[in-house]
Structure formats: C-alpha cells, structure tokens
Amino acid sequence: MITFMNNSDSEEEPCNERTSLMSAESPPVPSYQDGLQTAEAGEAQAHRKRRTGSSRSPNNIADGDVSDLGVPVRESALENEEEELTLKYGAKHVIMLFVPVTLCMIVVVATIKSVRFYTEKNGQLIYTPFSEDTPSVGQRLLNSVLNTIIMISVIVVMTVFLVLLYKYRCYKFIHGWLILSSLMLLFLFTYIYLGEVLKTYNVAMDYPTLFLVIWNFGAVGMICIHWKGPLQLQQAYLIMISALMALVFIKYLPEWSAWVILGAISIYDLMAVLCPKGPLRMLVETAQERNEPIFPALIYSSAMMWTVGMAKPDTAARGASQQTWDAAEDGGENPLHADSQMSETRSPGTTRPITSFEELEEEERGVKLGLGDFIFYSVLVGKAAATASGDWNTTLACFVAILIGLCLTLLLLAVFKKALPALPISITFGLVFYFSTDNLVRPFMDTLASHQLYI
Amino acid sequence: PALGLFLFTIARDPLRIIILIAGAFFWLVSLLLSSLIWFIAVKASDPQDETLQKGLLIFGIMFSVLLQEAFRFLYYKLLRKAIEGLVALSEDGCSPISIQQTAYVAGMGFGLMSGAFSMINLLADALGPGTVGIHGDSQLYFLTSAFMTMVLIFLHTFWGILFFHGCEHQRWWEITAVIIMHLAVSGSTFCNPLYMGSLVPSYLLMATAATWAYLLSGGSAQNLRRFLLCK
C-alpha cells in the first residue's frame, strides 16, 4: 500500500486541476476561458473575439493550477455582434459540457455498482491519516475534520508550488511533473482497474495480452493528451483518467472525510479563484501577461474546429497545423483549444481578407473545464451511489443537482466573463441533495413504493 | 415510450435539454420539500398507530401533489423570464423556442423525473433475485408499476402543456383542472392493489388530457386524419 500511496501522491497532481471553465469564444455566453486566451490576445488583438472568462475551480493542486490560466482575450470590433450570438451558442456549450460530465459520472457509477473492489475499505491514503473507525461520533467528526485540513493544506501547498514554478518559468519541471503523473495514471491505475473489472466478470486474460492492451492504451493516451490527436479521442481519454482518479478517491477516502473534503474544496476553490491573492488567480494573470497557452492534460476542452464554410480551406488547414504546432511548442497547450486554434489561425490571418475571417468566425468555440471539476463531480456521485442506501434515487438526485449547478455556473460565466470556480455551486447543490434525499426522501419513497402509491 | 419521446424530440436541441433538466430539478425540489413535511409529521406522531400512519401518508401525498403544481407554476414564471431574455438577445427578435415547446419540455422534465424516481429502485431490484411480492402481494406488481409510471409520465407532460397554456391565457379553470386531475390520479392509486381502480381511471384521464393538450396546441381532427393517412 505504501508504494501505492506514494503513487497516488503524484497522481494527485493531474487531479488537482483547477476546474476552470474557459470560454474559447467570446460571443458564446457560457464560455469559460483559460489562460490561453491571454496568449492569444497577444497574437491577434485585432481579430480576437474571445472573451476570457475562465471559470476555474482550483481544485487541486499543482496541475490544476496550470489549468487555471485564464486568458482574457481582447475583443475586436465585432464584439457587439458577438454579443448577440452569445446566447445562441450558449445552450450548445452547456450541452458540450453536460455530455462529458455525464459520461464520466456514468462510468464511475457503473464501476462502483458492479466492481466491489472500489467500495471495500483497504486502507487510506497518506493524506488522510486519521482513521474513522472510532466509536464515538465526536471523535469521528474530529478525525474527518483533521483529515480534511491535511488534505486541503496539501492541495494549497502544491498549488502555490506550481504557481511559483510557473512564475519563475521552470517550465521543464512542470512538464516533467505533468508527464510523470499522467503516465502513472494511464498505466498503473488502468492496470488496477482492468484487473478488478476482469475479476468481477470472471474473464481470464493472460499477461501478454494485458500488457499489450495497457501499453497501447497508455501510449495513445500520452500522445493524445500531451501532443496532438483527434479531439474526440483526447476528450475520451480525459474523461477516462478523471473517472479513474475519482474511483481512487472514492475507494481511499473514508466516509465522513470525503464529504467534508468536498465541502472544503469548493470553499477553497471559491477563494483561490476569486480572491486577488489567490494562487489560481495569480496563475491566470501571469499567464495572461505572458500570453501563454495553458498546460495540457489539465483542461478539458469542448472546442471543435470546423473547416466547413471556410473560403480558403488551405489557409485554414495551414492555420490549424500551424496552430497545433505552436501549441505543442508552447509546451502542451491543448491543441484542441478553440481559442488557440482561433488565435493561431488568426495570427497568420492578419493578412487574410476579411471574408475568410468572417467565415472563420463561424467556427465553434468551445468551453473549457478543468479536470479537477470532473473528478470531484464524479466523486460526489460515485459516493452517493456507493454509500447511500436509497441507491439510485439518491444518485439520480445528485446527478441532476450537479448538472443544474453546472448550468448556473456557466450562466454566471456568461455574465461575469472572467474565470470562475466551477465547483462551489454544483458541489453545494449536490451535497444538499444527497443528504436530504438520503434522509428525507428515501423513507417517503420507500413507503410509497411499498403501497404502490403514486404522487 | 417516454425515453423514445425524449430521444426524438428533445435530444436534438440543447436548449430543450437544459429546460428538461431544470424541470426535473424543480420536481426534485418539490419532492424534497414534501418529504420533509411528511418526515416531520411522522416523527412527531406515534409510530405505532397504523391508521394514523396511513392517514399521514395520504396527507403527505396530497401535499406533495399540491407542491408539485406550485413548483410547476414557479417554473413557468422562471421560463417566462428566461424566454424574454432570449428574445431580447436574439438577432431577429423572435424566440428560439416557443412557449408551447417549452411547456412540452417542462412537462417531460417533471414526468421523467417522477417516473425515474418511481421506477428505478424497482428496476434495480428486478435485476436481483426474484423476491418481490413474496409476502403475498399481487403478481402483477411489476407490470402495473410499469404501466402506472408510463401513464404518470405522459400525464405530467400533458399537464405541463395545459398548465402553461392556462397561465399564458389567464384561464384559471384550466389550472385548477390540472390540479384536480393530478389529485384524482394520485387518489386513485390508493385503490392499489385493486388495480382496476387505479389504472383504468388514470388511462382515461390521460386520454382526456392528451386530447385537450392536442387541441390546445393547435391540432384538430383534420390534422390527425391527415397525419394518419400520410397525406
């Protein structure tokens, strides 16, 4: 267990991404922007229409910090027209975020319900040293609060560390760290997960096959996340690693600590993003000053790059490749970033005629959400599925609550147009609904169902 | 069938999905509040008294129905404001979604959530060993539950349309009719397991509500005939 715990230590990093919602596009209302935008702003000031509203929820640590970079983009003269398009694209972006969050939750819930490994208590992480097996309620509460304090301080320390690294331009170190943690996630956790799933369904698999499968999965994952790859594949990988991380959390966090940690994380998120001295905010501002893209592997981007309707497909293609190349060069900018794409295509576009530019505007801008957000949403729903005795009702209630919280956060993003934490509202709703459904609704529904009465 | 409706009509348009989920949320909140009331009542009363418990249950159910309708009204208000905002922001001054579509989607949201809550534990238990009804309950438990849930989902959808229409045109009698119908359906389930008493009236009411909603949405017998004959 010790080694595993150590591993999870480094695993924490990718999970600690800030859940920043970044709007790749300025017009769409629910766009959250990440730091990338600032990078782009530098590039094509005249053409950039992006708003940088990033919502970030600095969830966890280090890696998360990177994702917090929000990039406020300067808008060009087309801003007014963009405003009107905002709400039109608004709903679409919300859905673009709904789908991956839903998928992640479904994966987590399905695994929790079927694979018993993840609900067995086999020890705790090194971050939560206090056990919860104490006889008295007060002692248990105290232990969970202490666990939470330790966990949150670990997260804060890592976040600050990452911000410092970023400030002093130790990019290589950050990249190495990110690569190491994603490597660990992709290989080790997948191996454990696959092993457990195969055990549950009693499917035999020999080691060479297993090795081949995991090797392929991991290698493709590394390439997809850190370099270039098809958008959908990258999204799928990010969802999978978020789900894996959430499963680890569900398994290794003791009961009450998990709930208190969830609450504390959302408060921390709120503070870290909105307070002027908050680490995430500093990260965003620094990134904006430098006009740099965000680190990869920490942000989920829902952006799509369309070349439909482009007057000059060759220039667009060139722009895109140039962009992805620039992105890779920047050290991991997510090539799927819509804004990076836009900025890239725009930067050589200053010499382009306006027509192609206008057609470019039809491209979908995406919204970015930090991976930490995914993880904590899934932890909440997974814990609801694992521990609630009302089973599916509670899970469903938490699911709806989280989605509504996400909607509201996106709405706020549209209104405020700057980085916002995505955790607090959703987690608050989720927690409220979990506890109330478990304790209040469940007896009611059970009684109704036993008499087969309907309301 | 409800799922099919969802896939065909709602899944295309993201705005509708949001309205659906929000509708489900509102239903959930109403359920929460009503179960809170019931819980308090139960805790405050004597757990041994059977008839009292049953009476409290009935009271809880009625209260819950009223709360659901109240939340439907609140949701209507919210949607009105939201649509006005959308209209103001859209380019050509007309709303991307009509109030009737909204009513339909909102009703679906309510219905799906209520159906899900009613059925899903049942379904999960159905996957397990066959222990339902072992105490001498009716053998038709699953079947009737499925039908009842379906009829309730449809009813919620139609009630949504009727309700919103009533609110739009200030026809209070439509709203009261919806409330009365809801109460009647819930009340009819008290006859369970005498399934005749609950399923048949519910289906009849559903047919009534369906035709009413259809007429309100601008349909007519002519349209129906044309549609059926594929003209």
Side-chain angles (χ1 to χ4, degrees), chain A residues 87 95 433 441 449 452-454, chain B residues 14 89 141 145 186 190 192 195:
Chain A
L87 266 190
I95 298 301
F433 270 81
V441 177
Q452 218 177 5
L453 299 168
Y454 283 87
Chain B
L89 276 171
Y141 188 72
S145 298
S186 283
F190 292 149
N192 280 341
Y195 292 124

Side-chain angles (χ1 to χ4, degrees), chain A residues 84-85 87-88 91 94-95 390 392-393 396-397 404 407 433 436 439-441 444 447-449 452-455, chain B residues 14 25 28 31-32 35-36 38 61 64 86 89 91 116 120-121 124 141 144-145 148 152 186 189-190 192 195:
Chain A
E84 291 173 355
L85 296 172
L87 266 190
K88 211 191 240 176
V94 176
I95 298 301
W392 294 94
N393 278 346
L396 206 57
I404 293 291
C407 244
F433 270 81
S436 47
N439 298 323
L440 296 175
V441 177
F444 189 48
T447 331
L448 284 183
Q452 218 177 5
L453 299 168
Y454 283 87
I455 52 166
Chain B
F25 179 71
L28 205 59
L31 180 67
L32 204 70
S35 55
L36 177 69
W38 178 80
I61 292 181
S64 165
L86 277 178
L89 276 171
E91 295 177 320
I120 210 151
N121 274 335
Y141 188 72
T144 46
S145 298
M148 195 67 203
L152 206 59
S186 283
T189 60
F190 292 149
N192 280 341
Y195 292 124

Side-chain angles (χ1 to χ4, degrees), chain B residues 103-180:
Chain B
Y104 164 69
V105 175
M108 274 290 281
F110 269 58
L112 274 177
M113 203 58 190
S114 95
F117 259 66
S118 312
M119 267 311 270
I120 210 151
N121 274 335
L122 217 59
L123 286 173
D125 281 338
L127 285 177
T131 53
V132 180
I134 226 171
H135 291 285
D137 293 325
S138 161
Q139 286 174 335
L140 297 169
Y141 188 72
F142 279 125
L143 215 53
T144 46
S145 298
F147 276 115
M148 195 67 203
T149 312
M150 189 179 83
V151 83
L152 206 59
I153 296 180
F154 281 149
L155 273 174
H156 269 291
T157 316
F158 297 135
W159 285 332
I161 300 180
L162 294 173
F163 196 89
F164 279 40
H165 186 261
C167 289
E168 281 287 311
H169 298 267
Q170 304 286 317
R171 293 198 202 152
W172 303 115
W173 60 276
E174 279 187 12
I175 299 177
T176 37
V178 169
I179 298 180
I180 292 178

Side-chain angles (χ1 to χ4, degrees), chain A residues 329-343:
Chain A
E329 187 202 30
D330 282 333
E333 154 116 13
N334 183 346
L336 302 173
H337 258 218
D339 37 12
S340 51
Q341 289 169 344
M342 288 313 294
S343 56

